[in-house]
Amino acid sequence: AGIRPTSREALWGHGWVQAQFAGQLIGRRKLYPADLRDTLSRLQELRETADYESRYVSETQVTRAVTRARVFVNAIVTGGQQQ
């Protein structure tokens, strides 16, 4: 999409990518549906919980996360168009 970090501190970090996707590609350019706005951050949070915390991640949470990830990837592949 031609978006590039302007400083070395922000160089493609998770937070920067999430903010640009939500702010630029959803908010400003309207290339993707608004319901994808928090997908990256929610999936990252669940992954970090599963990998680094003692809290249990349920099969239901994982199933929903995989479904959400598939919807997200499909939106990217199809350029944001609903199928």
Side-chain angles (χ1 to χ4, degrees), residues 26-47:
I26 292 176
R28 185 168 286 156
R29 297 185 194 177
K30 312 257 188 278
L31 296 178
Y32 299 100
D35 60 341
L36 297 179
R37 180 176 305 277
D38 66 344
T39 297
L40 292 172
S41 60
R42 286 178 59 187
L43 293 175
Q44 180 184 9
E45 182 180 321
L46 185 64
R47 185 193 63 81

PDB file of all heavy atoms in Angstrom, residues 26-47:
ATOM      1  N   ILE A  26      -7.852   1.342   6.830  1.00  0.00           N
ATOM      2  CA  ILE A  26      -9.283   1.245   7.154  1.00  0.00           C
ATOM      3  C   ILE A  26      -9.881   2.637   7.341  1.00  0.00           C
ATOM      4  O   ILE A  26     -10.854   2.989   6.690  1.00  0.00           O
ATOM      5  CB  ILE A  26      -9.511   0.380   8.410  1.00  0.00           C
ATOM      6  CG1 ILE A  26      -9.158  -1.074   8.115  1.00  0.00           C
ATOM      7  CG2 ILE A  26     -10.973   0.476   8.867  1.00  0.00           C
ATOM      8  CD1 ILE A  26      -9.252  -2.003   9.310  1.00  0.00           C
ATOM      9  N   GLY A  27      -9.284   3.429   8.231  1.00  0.00           N
ATOM     10  CA  GLY A  27      -9.854   4.730   8.564  1.00  0.00           C
ATOM     11  C   GLY A  27      -9.782   5.750   7.445  1.00  0.00           C
ATOM     12  O   GLY A  27     -10.792   6.316   7.035  1.00  0.00           O
ATOM     13  N   ARG A  28      -8.600   5.995   6.938  1.00  0.00           N
ATOM     14  CA  ARG A  28      -8.411   7.059   5.949  1.00  0.00           C
ATOM     15  C   ARG A  28      -8.740   6.605   4.528  1.00  0.00           C
ATOM     16  O   ARG A  28      -9.498   7.249   3.822  1.00  0.00           O
ATOM     17  CB  ARG A  28      -6.979   7.572   6.014  1.00  0.00           C
ATOM     18  CG  ARG A  28      -6.751   8.765   5.087  1.00  0.00           C
ATOM     19  CD  ARG A  28      -5.452   9.455   5.352  1.00  0.00           C
ATOM     20  NE  ARG A  28      -5.586  10.215   6.603  1.00  0.00           N
ATOM     21  CZ  ARG A  28      -4.569  10.551   7.369  1.00  0.00           C
ATOM     22  NH1 ARG A  28      -3.355  10.201   7.049  1.00  0.00           N
ATOM     23  NH2 ARG A  28      -4.757  11.243   8.466  1.00  0.00           N
ATOM     24  N   ARG A  29      -8.151   5.514   4.087  1.00  0.00           N
ATOM     25  CA  ARG A  29      -8.335   5.086   2.687  1.00  0.00           C
ATOM     26  C   ARG A  29      -9.568   4.219   2.462  1.00  0.00           C
ATOM     27  O   ARG A  29      -9.979   3.991   1.326  1.00  0.00           O
ATOM     28  CB  ARG A  29      -7.104   4.330   2.208  1.00  0.00           C
ATOM     29  CG  ARG A  29      -5.840   5.170   2.201  1.00  0.00           C
ATOM     30  CD  ARG A  29      -4.705   4.390   1.602  1.00  0.00           C
ATOM     31  NE  ARG A  29      -3.417   4.997   1.869  1.00  0.00           N
ATOM     32  CZ  ARG A  29      -2.274   4.466   1.497  1.00  0.00           C
ATOM     33  NH1 ARG A  29      -2.258   3.326   0.808  1.00  0.00           N
ATOM     34  NH2 ARG A  29      -1.134   5.066   1.785  1.00  0.00           N
ATOM     35  N   LYS A  30     -10.123   3.665   3.530  1.00  0.00           N
ATOM     36  CA  LYS A  30     -11.331   2.815   3.463  1.00  0.00           C
ATOM     37  C   LYS A  30     -11.154   1.620   2.517  1.00  0.00           C
ATOM     38  O   LYS A  30     -12.064   1.246   1.782  1.00  0.00           O
ATOM     39  CB  LYS A  30     -12.547   3.631   3.043  1.00  0.00           C
ATOM     40  CG  LYS A  30     -12.722   4.933   3.795  1.00  0.00           C
ATOM     41  CD  LYS A  30     -13.782   4.829   4.817  1.00  0.00           C
ATOM     42  CE  LYS A  30     -14.114   6.160   5.460  1.00  0.00           C
ATOM     43  NZ  LYS A  30     -13.240   6.567   6.527  1.00  0.00           N
ATOM     44  N   LEU A  31      -9.950   1.010   2.555  1.00  0.00           N
ATOM     45  CA  LEU A  31      -9.673  -0.133   1.682  1.00  0.00           C
ATOM     46  C   LEU A  31     -10.183  -1.450   2.246  1.00  0.00           C
ATOM     47  O   LEU A  31     -10.377  -2.413   1.496  1.00  0.00           O
ATOM     48  CB  LEU A  31      -8.161  -0.238   1.433  1.00  0.00           C
ATOM     49  CG  LEU A  31      -7.515   0.920   0.687  1.00  0.00           C
ATOM     50  CD1 LEU A  31      -6.011   0.699   0.571  1.00  0.00           C
ATOM     51  CD2 LEU A  31      -8.147   1.076  -0.693  1.00  0.00           C
ATOM     52  N   TYR A  32     -10.366  -1.499   3.558  1.00  0.00           N
ATOM     53  CA  TYR A  32     -10.794  -2.730   4.218  1.00  0.00           C
ATOM     54  C   TYR A  32     -11.949  -2.426   5.157  1.00  0.00           C
ATOM     55  O   TYR A  32     -12.073  -1.306   5.648  1.00  0.00           O
ATOM     56  CB  TYR A  32      -9.628  -3.366   4.983  1.00  0.00           C
ATOM     57  CG  TYR A  32      -8.497  -3.734   4.063  1.00  0.00           C
ATOM     58  CD1 TYR A  32      -7.383  -2.919   3.938  1.00  0.00           C
ATOM     59  CD2 TYR A  32      -8.560  -4.881   3.275  1.00  0.00           C
ATOM     60  CE1 TYR A  32      -6.344  -3.236   3.074  1.00  0.00           C
ATOM     61  CE2 TYR A  32      -7.532  -5.204   2.402  1.00  0.00           C
ATOM     62  CZ  TYR A  32      -6.435  -4.379   2.310  1.00  0.00           C
ATOM     63  OH  TYR A  32      -5.435  -4.698   1.442  1.00  0.00           O
ATOM     64  N   PRO A  33     -12.790  -3.431   5.438  1.00  0.00           N
ATOM     65  CA  PRO A  33     -13.943  -3.210   6.306  1.00  0.00           C
ATOM     66  C   PRO A  33     -13.527  -2.835   7.736  1.00  0.00           C
ATOM     67  O   PRO A  33     -12.526  -3.344   8.264  1.00  0.00           O
ATOM     68  CB  PRO A  33     -14.685  -4.546   6.295  1.00  0.00           C
ATOM     69  CG  PRO A  33     -13.939  -5.463   5.429  1.00  0.00           C
ATOM     70  CD  PRO A  33     -12.723  -4.782   4.904  1.00  0.00           C
ATOM     71  N   ALA A  34     -14.311  -1.984   8.362  1.00  0.00           N
ATOM     72  CA  ALA A  34     -14.021  -1.497   9.711  1.00  0.00           C
ATOM     73  C   ALA A  34     -14.007  -2.618  10.748  1.00  0.00           C
ATOM     74  O   ALA A  34     -13.327  -2.502  11.769  1.00  0.00           O
ATOM     75  CB  ALA A  34     -15.032  -0.426  10.104  1.00  0.00           C
ATOM     76  N   ASP A  35     -14.710  -3.709  10.494  1.00  0.00           N
ATOM     77  CA  ASP A  35     -14.721  -4.784  11.486  1.00  0.00           C
ATOM     78  C   ASP A  35     -13.377  -5.515  11.581  1.00  0.00           C
ATOM     79  O   ASP A  35     -13.175  -6.340  12.477  1.00  0.00           O
ATOM     80  CB  ASP A  35     -15.873  -5.765  11.244  1.00  0.00           C
ATOM     81  CG  ASP A  35     -15.830  -6.453   9.896  1.00  0.00           C
ATOM     82  OD1 ASP A  35     -15.148  -5.960   8.972  1.00  0.00           O
ATOM     83  OD2 ASP A  35     -16.498  -7.495   9.752  1.00  0.00           O
ATOM     84  N   LEU A  36     -12.434  -5.189  10.703  1.00  0.00           N
ATOM     85  CA  LEU A  36     -11.084  -5.760  10.795  1.00  0.00           C
ATOM     86  C   LEU A  36     -10.139  -4.870  11.609  1.00  0.00           C
ATOM     87  O   LEU A  36      -8.993  -5.232  11.849  1.00  0.00           O
ATOM     88  CB  LEU A  36     -10.488  -5.953   9.395  1.00  0.00           C
ATOM     89  CG  LEU A  36     -11.200  -6.931   8.479  1.00  0.00           C
ATOM     90  CD1 LEU A  36     -10.498  -6.977   7.121  1.00  0.00           C
ATOM     91  CD2 LEU A  36     -11.269  -8.310   9.097  1.00  0.00           C
ATOM     92  N   ARG A  37     -10.620  -3.724  12.062  1.00  0.00           N
ATOM     93  CA  ARG A  37      -9.787  -2.723  12.724  1.00  0.00           C
ATOM     94  C   ARG A  37      -8.955  -3.285  13.877  1.00  0.00           C
ATOM     95  O   ARG A  37      -7.786  -2.988  14.010  1.00  0.00           O
ATOM     96  CB  ARG A  37     -10.664  -1.584  13.232  1.00  0.00           C
ATOM     97  CG  ARG A  37      -9.909  -0.481  13.927  1.00  0.00           C
ATOM     98  CD  ARG A  37     -10.814   0.666  14.316  1.00  0.00           C
ATOM     99  NE  ARG A  37     -11.558   1.211  13.202  1.00  0.00           N
ATOM    100  CZ  ARG A  37     -11.070   2.113  12.335  1.00  0.00           C
ATOM    101  NH1 ARG A  37      -9.855   2.556  12.462  1.00  0.00           N
ATOM    102  NH2 ARG A  37     -11.818   2.571  11.354  1.00  0.00           N
ATOM    103  N   ASP A  38      -9.543  -4.120  14.715  1.00  0.00           N
ATOM    104  CA  ASP A  38      -8.812  -4.618  15.887  1.00  0.00           C
ATOM    105  C   ASP A  38      -8.342  -6.064  15.743  1.00  0.00           C
ATOM    106  O   ASP A  38      -7.853  -6.661  16.695  1.00  0.00           O
ATOM    107  CB  ASP A  38      -9.651  -4.467  17.141  1.00  0.00           C
ATOM    108  CG  ASP A  38     -10.890  -5.349  17.136  1.00  0.00           C
ATOM    109  OD1 ASP A  38     -11.269  -5.862  16.057  1.00  0.00           O
ATOM    110  OD2 ASP A  38     -11.489  -5.531  18.210  1.00  0.00           O
ATOM    111  N   THR A  39      -8.450  -6.618  14.565  1.00  0.00           N
ATOM    112  CA  THR A  39      -8.100  -8.028  14.363  1.00  0.00           C
ATOM    113  C   THR A  39      -6.643  -8.327  14.710  1.00  0.00           C
ATOM    114  O   THR A  39      -6.366  -9.266  15.460  1.00  0.00           O
ATOM    115  CB  THR A  39      -8.390  -8.473  12.918  1.00  0.00           C
ATOM    116  OG1 THR A  39      -9.798  -8.361  12.690  1.00  0.00           O
ATOM    117  CG2 THR A  39      -7.954  -9.905  12.674  1.00  0.00           C
ATOM    118  N   LEU A  40      -5.719  -7.547  14.186  1.00  0.00           N
ATOM    119  CA  LEU A  40      -4.303  -7.823  14.444  1.00  0.00           C
ATOM    120  C   LEU A  40      -3.974  -7.744  15.928  1.00  0.00           C
ATOM    121  O   LEU A  40      -3.286  -8.621  16.467  1.00  0.00           O
ATOM    122  CB  LEU A  40      -3.417  -6.857  13.649  1.00  0.00           C
ATOM    123  CG  LEU A  40      -3.427  -7.038  12.141  1.00  0.00           C
ATOM    124  CD1 LEU A  40      -2.658  -5.908  11.467  1.00  0.00           C
ATOM    125  CD2 LEU A  40      -2.853  -8.391  11.759  1.00  0.00           C
ATOM    126  N   SER A  41      -4.468  -6.720  16.610  1.00  0.00           N
ATOM    127  CA  SER A  41      -4.153  -6.579  18.031  1.00  0.00           C
ATOM    128  C   SER A  41      -4.809  -7.668  18.866  1.00  0.00           C
ATOM    129  O   SER A  41      -4.200  -8.197  19.804  1.00  0.00           O
ATOM    130  CB  SER A  41      -4.547  -5.189  18.546  1.00  0.00           C
ATOM    131  OG  SER A  41      -5.922  -4.961  18.392  1.00  0.00           O
ATOM    132  N   ARG A  42      -6.031  -8.046  18.539  1.00  0.00           N
ATOM    133  CA  ARG A  42      -6.705  -9.107  19.301  1.00  0.00           C
ATOM    134  C   ARG A  42      -6.013 -10.459  19.110  1.00  0.00           C
ATOM    135  O   ARG A  42      -5.845 -11.219  20.069  1.00  0.00           O
ATOM    136  CB  ARG A  42      -8.170  -9.204  18.882  1.00  0.00           C
ATOM    137  CG  ARG A  42      -8.992  -8.039  19.424  1.00  0.00           C
ATOM    138  CD  ARG A  42     -10.426  -8.085  19.000  1.00  0.00           C
ATOM    139  NE  ARG A  42     -11.092  -9.307  19.421  1.00  0.00           N
ATOM    140  CZ  ARG A  42     -12.317  -9.632  19.056  1.00  0.00           C
ATOM    141  NH1 ARG A  42     -13.009  -8.842  18.267  1.00  0.00           N
ATOM    142  NH2 ARG A  42     -12.863 -10.752  19.466  1.00  0.00           N
ATOM    143  N   LEU A  43      -5.610 -10.750  17.881  1.00  0.00           N
ATOM    144  CA  LEU A  43      -4.921 -12.020  17.634  1.00  0.00           C
ATOM    145  C   LEU A  43      -3.547 -12.041  18.292  1.00  0.00           C
ATOM    146  O   LEU A  43      -3.130 -13.068  18.847  1.00  0.00           O
ATOM    147  CB  LEU A  43      -4.818 -12.288  16.133  1.00  0.00           C
ATOM    148  CG  LEU A  43      -6.141 -12.541  15.412  1.00  0.00           C
ATOM    149  CD1 LEU A  43      -5.912 -12.682  13.923  1.00  0.00           C
ATOM    150  CD2 LEU A  43      -6.856 -13.748  15.978  1.00  0.00           C
ATOM    151  N   GLN A  44      -2.846 -10.916  18.274  1.00  0.00           N
ATOM    152  CA  GLN A  44      -1.545 -10.858  18.936  1.00  0.00           C
ATOM    153  C   GLN A  44      -1.703 -11.046  20.444  1.00  0.00           C
ATOM    154  O   GLN A  44      -0.929 -11.777  21.071  1.00  0.00           O
ATOM    155  CB  GLN A  44      -0.841  -9.533  18.653  1.00  0.00           C
ATOM    156  CG  GLN A  44       0.517  -9.466  19.342  1.00  0.00           C
ATOM    157  CD  GLN A  44       1.202  -8.125  19.176  1.00  0.00           C
ATOM    158  OE1 GLN A  44       0.617  -7.171  18.694  1.00  0.00           O
ATOM    159  NE2 GLN A  44       2.454  -8.072  19.579  1.00  0.00           N
ATOM    160  N   GLU A  45      -2.702 -10.415  21.017  1.00  0.00           N
ATOM    161  CA  GLU A  45      -2.943 -10.544  22.456  1.00  0.00           C
ATOM    162  C   GLU A  45      -3.216 -11.997  22.840  1.00  0.00           C
ATOM    163  O   GLU A  45      -2.677 -12.502  23.836  1.00  0.00           O
ATOM    164  CB  GLU A  45      -4.124  -9.661  22.858  1.00  0.00           C
ATOM    165  CG  GLU A  45      -4.421  -9.685  24.335  1.00  0.00           C
ATOM    166  CD  GLU A  45      -5.603  -8.783  24.679  1.00  0.00           C
ATOM    167  OE1 GLU A  45      -5.723  -7.690  24.101  1.00  0.00           O
ATOM    168  OE2 GLU A  45      -6.393  -9.197  25.539  1.00  0.00           O
ATOM    169  N   LEU A  46      -4.028 -12.687  22.052  1.00  0.00           N
ATOM    170  CA  LEU A  46      -4.333 -14.092  22.346  1.00  0.00           C
ATOM    171  C   LEU A  46      -3.080 -14.950  22.193  1.00  0.00           C
ATOM    172  O   LEU A  46      -2.811 -15.825  23.026  1.00  0.00           O
ATOM    173  CB  LEU A  46      -5.442 -14.603  21.424  1.00  0.00           C
ATOM    174  CG  LEU A  46      -5.922 -16.014  21.728  1.00  0.00           C
ATOM    175  CD1 LEU A  46      -6.573 -16.088  23.106  1.00  0.00           C
ATOM    176  CD2 LEU A  46      -6.892 -16.489  20.662  1.00  0.00           C
ATOM    177  N   ARG A  47      -2.287 -14.699  21.168  1.00  0.00           N
ATOM    178  CA  ARG A  47      -1.056 -15.464  20.990  1.00  0.00           C
ATOM    179  C   ARG A  47      -0.102 -15.245  22.156  1.00  0.00           C
ATOM    180  O   ARG A  47       0.495 -16.195  22.676  1.00  0.00           O
ATOM    181  CB  ARG A  47      -0.355 -15.095  19.687  1.00  0.00           C
ATOM    182  CG  ARG A  47       0.882 -15.972  19.429  1.00  0.00           C
ATOM    183  CD  ARG A  47       1.768 -15.434  18.341  1.00  0.00           C
ATOM    184  NE  ARG A  47       2.344 -14.144  18.626  1.00  0.00           N
ATOM    185  CZ  ARG A  47       3.432 -13.947  19.388  1.00  0.00           C
ATOM    186  NH1 ARG A  47       4.026 -14.953  19.980  1.00  0.00           N
ATOM    187  NH2 ARG A  47       3.909 -12.733  19.565  1.00  0.00           N
TER     188      ARG A  47
END
